[in-house]
Amino acid sequence: MAESSNSAAASGQPQTTAKPAKAPNPVWKMMGMPNFRLKLPSRNWMIFLTITGSFTGALIYDRKQKKRAQQKWCDLVAHLANEPLPVEQTRRKLTVFLAAPPGDGLRVAREHFKEYVKPILVAAALDYQVIEGRREGDVRAGLAERIRKFRRKSGEPSTVVEEAGIEEVVADARQKIGVIEEPVPKGDLVIGRHTWREYVRGLHEGWLGPLDPPQPPVVPTDALSPPEGAETSSPVDGAPVVENLEKTVEPEKKDEPEKKEEKPSKPTGPTPAYISPADYSSQSLPRSLPQSLDGSVPVHFPHILGFLNTPIRIYRYLNQRHLADSVGREVAGIVLASATRPYGDKSFSADSEFAPAGVDAAPLSDNLMGGNYEQQTILEEEEKEWHKSVHKKDESNPDKEREWLDTVVLDPRIATRMQRYVLSPEDESRSQRIAEGVEYILGEERPVPVPFWRRMWIKYGYGEDDETLKMKPILGNIDGEDI
């Protein structure tokens, strides 16, 4: 060993010695912190950071694109908020139909409306009225009653005595002072397939059904008459009769205060329908029915429940930008109201020139039940995701009408009067230019982008934006002193 070391030293080769450990930074030592050394994280930390970083990046990107898509549609309709409105006119009001999704509560539907629909309505400064439904059939009953009130107000005979509500009192007060509605077309915004089903059913019930509620079923007299073998006792003397009457009246008097204390029972469901779909064709059209109904727009409302559907829900949570763009396009179409189209009719007859040769005309009942109208298949893909509890029928009342499950039946006289708001080609191209940054709100110029540091200084520091500086008064030398 000594010889080998001597030979290495004699040959002049450098000896490898271990480098001393680098002294820690005295700053960390004085602060009581350990010595930090840069090194790669372990395998477990790499897996954790990769998963959380990827999810966070996808979420941030989606929310940024979602905000950009909503801002595009808001800028497309924002010029309506700057249009002057006469003092004797009220702003255009839309009707929003909202119902709790199958198997869930109303809060989910309200959040969907506030997140995707309301920002565009607010950007256009439009007024809206919401008709909500917590249970199946509430929207149908509310819309039908609203149409019946309009028909009674138009002069159609009815025995129903209406009570003046808040809306009627406000409308009467506005009429007395000369305030009218803005002379523009109205519209109905229907959110979800389940709400759309009730909307179509309510339209038909309101326009084709009677104005008076149907009479309750009459109980047959045979059930009230006593059986043939029963004997009726007739007392001979008059005194016992009075005693028996007193005895029968006394317990009734005792039961009266108990009946008064009973609270009225809450309604178990919506008002039953005034007309069944099978009676549509036998009803005549009312005089107040217009040639074309107010335009409507069905809005997509995806909603899925269940633990096994968690991957689908995560995918939708990270792709809300597509839903925001789709809903924004539909809402912008009804807000601008620049173009409408009738709902498509896929039915044909043998006399039509579009009917193929050798095909006989189908009867009207088959066309109504066969899904030949566009209104019957709109948003139909949402039904596949409804909760299984919706498909359970009521065993106590199997003949009960189910607006969400029964076949959508349309009357041609009502279906042909329905129309749908769409975006015109000019508005569609303008939205593309707004997304590219070439164009901005009509009549306005795109503001100069503000750097991030300046926005933070204005928000959290002592800086002021340009709009605030413009509102500040500029005072001259009031005292006349030289400065």
Side-chain angles (χ1 to χ4, degrees), residues 137-148 151 197-214 270-277 280 283-284 286 401 403 409 411 414:
D138 286 349
V139 173
R140 185 266 310 160
L143 176 59
E145 183 61 28
R146 184 181 179 186
I147 297 175
R148 285 192 289 265
R151 292 173 57 186
R197 278 174 159 269
E198 296 189 35
Y199 174 79
V200 174
R201 180 72 174 95
L203 276 180
H204 287 74
E205 179 186 346
W207 289 114
L208 299 179
L211 296 181
D212 299 334
T271 306
Y274 285 21
I275 183 176
S276 63
Y280 286 167
Q283 300 294 325
S284 58
E401 182 181 4
E403 290 85 355
V409 181
D411 187 273
I414 301 296

Side-chain angles (χ1 to χ4, degrees), residues 19 21-22 41 43 46 68 130 132 136 145 185 246 251 281 300 317 321 339 368 385 421 432 471:
K19 294 182 179 180
K22 188 177 180 181
R43 180 181 65 89
M46 288 289 291
R68 183 176 298 178
V130 181
E132 295 182 342
E136 181 180 1
E145 183 61 28
E246 291 177 355
S281 58
H300 191 50
Y317 182 73
R321 58 187 182 274
L368 290 178
E385 300 176 352
Y421 285 109
Q432 294 294 334
M471 293 187 294

Side-chain angles (χ1 to χ4, degrees), residues 7-270:
S7 61
S11 61
Q13 295 180 357
Q15 297 181 358
T16 58
T17 58
K19 294 182 179 180
K22 188 177 180 181
N25 194 334
V27 176
W28 306 128
K29 187 176 181 181
M30 287 184 290
M31 295 177 63
M33 301 179 66
N35 184 24
F36 292 100
R37 293 183 299 173
L38 296 177
K39 63 177 182 178
L40 291 175
S42 62
R43 180 181 65 89
N44 295 340
W45 272 107
M46 288 289 291
I47 295 173
F48 172 76
L49 294 176
T50 302
I51 295 176
T52 55
S54 302
F55 186 86
T56 305
L59 181 62
I60 294 175
Y61 174 78
D62 177 71
R63 295 302 181 269
K64 183 178 180 180
Q65 296 298 323
K66 172 187 173 183
K67 184 178 180 181
R68 183 176 298 178
Q70 286 186 336
Q71 190 62 38
K72 175 185 68 173
W73 300 115
C74 290
D75 294 343
L76 182 66
V77 302
H79 66 278
L80 299 177
N82 301 327
E83 294 180 355
L85 186 67
V87 293
E88 70 276 2
Q89 292 183 4
T90 58
R91 191 67 170 128
R92 178 193 178 199
K93 179 181 289 188
L94 300 179
T95 305
V96 180
F97 294 89
L98 197 65
D104 212 332
L106 186 60
R107 179 182 58 85
V108 182
R110 287 176 176 174
E111 291 179 353
H112 183 80
F113 166 75
K114 292 179 181 179
E115 188 172 359
Y116 296 99
V117 179
K118 187 177 179 180
I120 303 175
L121 300 180
V122 173
L126 287 187
D127 193 7
Y128 59 90
Q129 178 185 7
V130 181
I131 297 180
E132 295 182 342
R134 296 181 178 273
R135 293 165 297 186
E136 181 180 1
D138 286 349
V139 173
R140 185 266 310 160
L143 176 59
E145 183 61 28
R146 184 181 179 186
I147 297 175
R148 285 192 289 265
K149 287 183 179 180
F150 173 79
R151 292 173 57 186
R152 296 189 191 104
K153 190 176 180 181
S154 300
E156 296 189 28
S158 175
T159 59
V160 177
V161 179
E162 297 184 3
E163 297 180 359
I166 299 178
E167 296 182 3
E168 289 75 11
V169 173
V170 173
D172 185 47
R174 288 177 176 174
Q175 185 178 4
K176 290 180 180 179
I177 62 178
V179 176
I180 60 176
E181 296 181 354
E182 188 177 3
V184 291
K186 299 181 180 180
D188 299 333
L189 195 62
V190 188
I191 300 178
R193 168 70 176 178
H194 59 291
T195 313
W196 175 257
R197 278 174 159 269
E198 296 189 35
Y199 174 79
V200 174
R201 180 72 174 95
L203 276 180
H204 287 74
E205 179 186 346
W207 289 114
L208 299 179
L211 296 181
D212 299 334
Q215 298 295 333
V218 180
V219 181
T221 56
D222 298 340
L224 300 177
S225 60
E228 297 179 356
E231 297 180 356
T232 56
S233 59
S234 57
V236 179
D237 300 333
V241 175
V242 177
E243 293 177 359
N244 293 336
L245 288 175
E246 291 177 355
K247 292 179 180 179
T248 55
V249 171
E250 286 179 358
E252 292 180 358
K253 292 181 179 179
K254 294 179 181 179
D255 295 341
E256 285 181 359
E258 296 179 359
K259 292 181 180 179
K260 292 181 180 179
E261 294 177 358
E262 294 180 358
K263 297 181 179 179
S265 59
K266 297 182 180 179
T268 57

Side-chain angles (χ1 to χ4, degrees), residues 5 48 76 102 108 116 261 287 296 298 314 351 354-355 357 381 468:
S5 61
F48 172 76
L76 182 66
V108 182
Y116 296 99
E261 294 177 358
R287 300 188 305 270
S296 58
I314 293 177
D351 299 332
F354 301 101
E381 63 276 3
T468 305

Side-chain angles (χ1 to χ4, degrees), residues 348 350 355-361:
F348 54 84
V359 178
D360 297 334

